[in-house]
Structures are given as structure tokens and as C-alpha cells.
Amino acid sequence: MTLDLGLPDGSGLQLIRELRDAPATEDLPVLVISAASEEGRLQLKGGVQAIDWLGKPFDPQRLLERVRQALRGLPEKPRVLHVEDDADLRLVIAEQGRALADFVPAGSLREARQRLLQEHFDLVLLDLGLPDGSGLTLLEALHRDHPELPVVVLSAQELPAEQFGQVHAALAKSRGNAQHFLQLLGRLLPAKENRHA
């Protein structure tokens, strides 16, 4: 997070304290970019960790280097594109698998294609019955354009036999196979230390 201390609706220093008190953001790297960065550093008296300070005006190259340093060493989870129109099921799977990966939702073929163009993923979890068409069309495109990207079909619809060679696994939707599903994902997802940028 980059932060100016002089904000129109409150104190940047107070926001830093609130971020550090919340479990979800206690380790969030914060880069303060402010004309008052020295004064801010003195007010906090070093009591808050993982903060870097940059005064204004600043050198853009120096800013980018500081951002790189702040991001270096953060644990990166593998990213799963979950193409599924049932929002409740997406939430359940994201919660069950959160220790394994970050699950990025796509509720339609259109949204999935857009995300694949703009973002990197380590695995695609694909439903076949989608509101704007069959997931089989996306499966064909993935097989053609991203042959190295593992695909797991999780669907109430049966995968046609001729498509089996294009997926790493095909699972039927049911409430009873969560453990099996998570073990399968754990085997297919890359280890954190082996990830490439």
C-alpha cells in the first residue's frame, strides 16, 4: 500500500495504526509517500513495522525500487481461476481451499476469457454449464492457447470422453468429495517456492 499522511478525511498515521491492529493487514507493506514523512516517522517512534518512507518530491525509479523491495519475500499463493456461475459454490470452495491457493472468480465464459487475457493463473477450475455457453468452448481454447495450464472440470454435467485428454481431472459436483477435491488441487498446484514470475 502506498499512503500519503495528509488525507482530507483523517490522519494517515491513524490509518497505519488501524492496519497494524487488524489481523488481515498487520503484515501489509506500507510505503509512506508524503512531504511530512519525517514528522510521521518521529510520531510513530518506530513502533510500527514493515513501513518504508519516501519524501515528496520523489524519484519515480526510487519509488519502484522501494515497491519491489516491499513485495519481495511476501508469500505468493498459486492462483486458481474458478469459472462457475454459482456464487455460493465459488465462496465455499475458495474458503475450503484458501490455504492452498487464491481463488479468482469468473461467473461466465466472457469474464473468464477477460481474466485469462489480463492475469496469470496456475490452474483453471471449470464448470461446464455456464450462463453464456458451454465450458467446453473455453476448454478447447485453453487446450489450444494455454496447453501448460492445468484444468480441472468440476461440473454436474459429464465431460465427453473425447475431452478427457484436455483436463487433469474431472469431478462431479457433490457435497461429499471436498477432501478428495482439496487433495487433488494440492497435487496439481505448484509449490510456492517453485513459482515463476
Side-chain angles (χ1 to χ4, degrees):
M1 175 181 188
T2 59
L3 175 68
D4 189 0
L5 296 180
L7 299 170
D9 58 349
S11 162
L13 291 174
Q14 182 57 37
L15 178 58
I16 292 170
R17 289 185 185 102
E18 290 169 16
L19 290 169
R20 289 299 171 255
D21 288 341
T25 56
E26 64 186 353
D27 296 322
L28 177 71
V30 177
L31 175 58
V32 176
I33 304 170
S34 177
S37 64
E38 275 307 309
E39 294 86 356
R41 190 190 318 224
L42 291 172
Q43 284 184 32
L44 286 177
K45 298 180 180 130
V48 180
Q49 299 301 314
I51 292 185
D52 205 349
W53 305 82
L54 208 55
K56 286 183 180 177
F58 61 89
D59 172 19
Q61 284 305 111
R62 198 164 161 218
L63 169 65
L64 290 176
E65 183 52 36
R66 296 281 179 94
V67 169
R68 268 190 222 98
Q69 286 173 358
L71 295 176
R72 198 173 294 135
L74 283 182
E76 276 192 63
K77 285 186 189 175
R79 301 184 78 234
V80 174
L81 177 62
H82 188 182
V83 187
E84 166 66 61
D85 60 331
D86 182 340
D88 291 337
L89 180 60
R90 286 195 317 254
L91 286 172
V92 167
I93 288 177
E95 180 59 29
Q96 288 180 344
R98 70 186 159 114
L100 286 174
D102 288 328
F103 288 78
V104 178
S108 67
L109 290 172
R110 183 175 167 272
E111 187 179 356
R113 288 184 180 111
Q114 192 66 32
R115 287 198 180 276
L116 284 163
L117 285 173
Q118 297 173 345
E119 302 174 54
H120 166 79
F121 294 99
D122 298 291
L123 185 138
V124 174
L125 185 57
L126 178 63
D127 185 15
L128 298 180
L130 295 162
D132 56 347
S134 170
L136 292 173
T137 61
L138 184 62
L139 182 58
E140 290 289 336
L142 287 167
H143 185 65
R144 181 186 64 242
D145 302 333
H146 305 277
E148 76 293 340
L149 186 59
V151 178
V152 173
V153 171
L154 180 64
S155 182
Q157 296 180 22
E158 201 166 312
L159 183 69
E162 62 270 15
Q163 272 18 95
F164 277 132
Q166 297 177 348
V167 302
H168 283 70
L171 302 171
K173 282 184 186 175
S174 76
R175 298 197 182 276
N177 66 358
Q179 206 50 40
H180 171 69
F181 167 72
L182 292 175
Q183 288 170 353
L184 173 70
L185 280 189
R187 288 194 306 270
L188 291 175
L189 289 167
K192 291 178 193 174
E193 61 272 9
N194 294 337
R195 289 212 48 211
H196 58 294

